[in-house]
Amino acid sequence: MKVHRVARIVSSLAIAGVLAACADRGNAGPVEPVAHVDLERFMGDWYVIASIPTRFERGAFNAVETYSQGAAGRIDTVFRYRKDSFDGELETMTPTGFVREGTGNAVLGMRFLWPVKAEYIIASLAPDYSDTIVARNKRDYVWIMARTPTLPEARYRQLVAEVEGMGYDISRLRTVPQQWPEAAPRPAPR
């Protein structure tokens, strides 16, 4: 009898957790990707202007994501940033991107660790490919990125409004400090 009671409590807690997650996202539907991404134009450096960061990139300064076309349709990625300050230790991640078929090149599976591919949705892209928003259906992380280390304030506010319109809690959005040219890194601890 006690086993059934515990199972009911666990089931109730799981259902409550799912309902809370839906309420947190404001019952938002899927994030809409842009209609089409010209991958060749999308390749190159993207400065991270603001993000709801993953745990790995909290405290990032001078964050830059660089994409290049790899073998067999893959997208080679280098994400680099300074940890906790402009002269902090250089951190680098090198995930591989895979374009999801039938998405106009706007949805990627980003593999940091085999076999898991994290969902990356190109949800906004300026016509001249000068800025972009990369989002996720979970509304857990988001990145506002640009080809330059800064954006005009009015454009930045427009992009933040877009992020909010996607169902994100923008109070969690963090501006990523950018200062270029980059200062020399501090020596590694001995």
Side-chain angles (χ1 to χ4, degrees):
M1 190 71 127
K2 287 185 179 182
V3 171
H4 293 297
R5 187 174 186 194
V6 169
R8 278 197 313 265
I9 291 170
V10 169
S11 295
S12 296
L13 289 173
I15 290 169
V18 168
L19 292 174
C22 289
D24 286 345
R25 289 194 279 149
N27 294 321
V31 171
E32 288 295 320
V34 297
H36 178 75
V37 175
D38 178 338
L39 286 180
E40 191 172 316
R41 288 184 71 193
F42 196 80
M43 299 298 105
D45 292 340
W46 289 94
Y47 295 86
V48 181
I49 305 300
S51 68
I52 295 177
T54 67
R55 69 182 180 100
F56 300 106
E57 62 188 295
R58 288 184 193 137
F61 283 65
N62 281 3
V64 180
E65 184 123 309
T66 303
Y67 302 106
S68 60
Q69 291 184 325
R74 295 178 179 179
I75 298 173
D76 296 328
T77 307
V78 177
F79 176 63
R80 58 160 322 270
Y81 60 93
R82 297 285 176 183
K83 187 73 174 160
D84 298 324
S85 69
F86 289 116
D87 66 346
E89 189 175 331
L90 179 65
E91 300 284 337
T92 304
M93 291 184 255
T94 57
T96 302
F98 301 85
V99 175
R100 190 172 297 162
E101 293 280 328
T103 65
N105 301 328
V107 180
L108 306 175
M110 197 64 77
R111 185 171 65 207
F112 289 85
L113 183 65
W114 187 86
V116 178
K117 292 179 187 170
E119 173 189 64
Y120 278 42
I121 301 168
I122 301 169
S124 177
L125 184 58
D128 64 356
Y129 284 60
S130 60
D131 58 57
T132 189
I133 297 171
V134 176
R136 291 170 40 88
N137 280 317
K138 290 182 179 181
R139 288 7 181 244
D140 49 358
Y141 311 118
V142 68
W143 298 267
I144 295 174
M145 299 188 293
R147 296 296 191 173
T148 56
T150 60
L151 284 172
E153 186 62 29
R155 180 61 180 152
Y156 175 72
R157 283 195 306 268
Q158 288 174 338
L159 293 168
V160 170
E162 284 187 51
V163 168
E164 185 173 37
M166 292 175 199
Y168 279 92
D169 174 3
I170 60 167
S171 71
R172 297 178 51 220
L173 197 63
R174 176 188 175 273
T175 302
V176 176
Q178 297 281 354
Q179 181 180 339
W180 299 90
E182 189 171 48
R186 69 176 173 226
R190 295 179 193 235

